[in-house]
Amino acid sequence: MALELIGILAALGSAASWAIGALLLKPFAERLPAMGLAFAKGILGLLLLGLAILVLGIPSITAPVFWVLLLSGVLGIGVADTLFFKALRELSPHSVVQLMLLGQVATIAMAMVFLGETLAWQELLGVVLVIVGVAVVLTEPAPASGKQPRDQHQMSATRRGIIFGLVSVMSMAVSVTMAKGVLDEVDALTATFLRILGGVISLFLLAPLFYLGRGNWLTPLVSDRRLAWRFVAIAIFMTFGGFFLSLLAMKLTPLAIANTLLSTEPLFVLLIMAVFYKESPDARRLTGSLIGVVGVGLISSKSFLT
């Protein structure tokens, strides 16, 4: 019971860490190239995980597993992380983390298409609730009579942000599905290192092409030492507070409980905004967040019934 309580606290701590990270990274996403941020985050992850692997010992790995994990990283880190930062530039942190809940839906869709799995009634209801929750948060009500409609540029930015977020979610879902197929043959630490390595290599090779003629894509980040160190501190916090605690939660807590608690990120964003930024959450965002969390809970509940 004590270990399960630690797992529950770890899940809540992880959700809070990702929520804090999204809020802290928002200014970086607005000012700096998304590929540069994804690359810097990846390099830091490689250093931290590489040191851990050196301490614990370098495991052997087959060539097919190596290439699957590397390609998984290209999608999950190179593509998904870059588009996450692009979405964060256009949308609020709360909208982005709410949008990420669709990863649960995307993963189920991948399992149905590639693994032939079928949905139980509670999973189907959960999928509907997650989609409804995301729609409630991202769909603003029409302006009242006599008020000016939203600025067209702002509307375009919102649409771009939603598209970036959706493609990020889909890329991550494909990446996770690929990685799951070989996880029985490699430990989680090494698998994570290889996935990040794939993302870093792809960004190193492709980013200069995307930024051709627009200067060095890393200059805005490395030119300001204080800004760079702030980003490093946030990335370390998210790596240990978000990633490590989520693994601990899944190890010590039943999957349904861990998955549901980890999905409370949008609620933590609203709580942090209320406590530290004095912004009261509006009913629409709060309702959408609660609907989404209930939906994830229903999706995860299948683990209790098997």
Side-chain angles (χ1 to χ4, degrees):
M1 186 64 186
L3 289 178
E4 185 171 325
L5 177 59
I6 292 174
I8 290 172
L9 294 175
L12 292 173
S14 176
S17 297
W18 287 118
I20 294 170
L23 288 167
L24 294 178
L25 286 174
K26 171 70 172 174
F28 289 88
E30 291 176 339
R31 295 174 52 188
L32 302 171
M35 280 187 164
L37 291 174
F39 181 78
K41 179 172 170 287
I43 288 292
L44 184 62
L46 284 181
L47 291 175
L48 293 174
L49 294 174
L51 288 174
I53 290 175
L54 287 176
V55 171
L56 297 174
I58 301 175
S60 61
I61 184 172
T62 63
V65 171
F66 174 87
W67 288 111
V68 167
L69 290 173
L70 211 67
L71 183 57
S72 170
V74 172
L75 287 172
I77 309 299
V79 176
D81 269 14
T82 297
L83 294 178
F84 169 82
F85 284 117
K86 283 185 172 292
L88 195 57
R89 176 180 299 170
E90 310 288 359
L91 302 172
S92 70
H94 179 263
S95 295
V96 172
V97 296
Q98 182 77 19
L99 194 58
M100 293 300 114
L101 293 185
L102 289 176
Q104 301 283 341
V105 177
T107 301
I108 285 180
M110 296 292 169
M112 292 176 64
V113 173
F114 297 109
L115 302 178
E117 294 186 5
T118 56
L119 291 184
W121 71 266
Q122 70 270 17
E123 289 179 297
L124 181 59
L125 179 58
V127 166
V128 172
L129 289 179
V130 169
I131 294 173
V132 169
V134 172
V136 168
V137 169
L138 295 180
T139 306
E140 293 190 11
S145 178
K147 292 186 177 180
Q148 293 295 324
R150 291 180 63 202
D151 178 72
Q152 290 297 318
H153 177 73
Q154 184 181 357
M155 292 177 65
S156 297
T158 299
R159 284 194 293 267
R160 284 197 307 270
I162 293 173
I163 292 172
F164 288 144
L166 288 174
V167 179
S168 175
V169 167
M170 290 302 300
S171 299
M172 183 58 70
V174 175
S175 171
V176 169
T177 302
M178 291 174 60
K180 281 183 177 179
V182 298
L183 280 183
D184 289 339
E185 303 178 46
V186 62
D187 64 276
L189 189 65
T190 304
T192 303
F193 177 86
L194 290 176
R195 292 182 70 240
I196 294 177
L197 178 63
V200 167
I201 292 174
S202 66
L203 288 168
F204 181 77
L205 294 176
L206 297 178
L209 298 178
F210 281 92
Y211 288 91
L212 191 64
R214 289 183 283 171
N216 191 325
W217 55 291
L218 288 175
T219 298
L221 181 61
V222 300
S223 60
D224 188 331
R225 186 172 299 179
R226 182 177 298 180
L227 188 70
W229 280 114
R230 281 179 55 199
F231 180 80
V232 167
I234 295 170
I236 292 175
F237 169 77
M238 292 182 69
T239 298
F240 287 102
F243 177 72
F244 173 73
L245 289 180
S246 67
L247 291 181
L248 184 63
M250 291 182 181
K251 183 178 180 64
L252 300 178
T253 311
L255 179 62
I257 295 176
N259 216 22
T260 303
L261 293 177
L262 289 169
S263 73
T264 58
E265 292 172 31
L267 296 176
F268 274 107
V269 172
L270 295 178
L271 178 62
I272 293 166
M273 293 296 291
V275 173
F276 295 99
Y277 296 88
K278 308 302 180 185
E279 292 187 13
S280 300
D282 61 68
R284 178 175 56 85
R285 289 182 177 273
L286 182 58
T287 300
S289 298
L290 290 172
I291 291 173
V293 172
V294 171
V296 173
L298 286 172
I299 291 173
S300 304
S301 65
K302 184 178 180 180
S303 63
F304 282 138
L305 305 176
T306 56

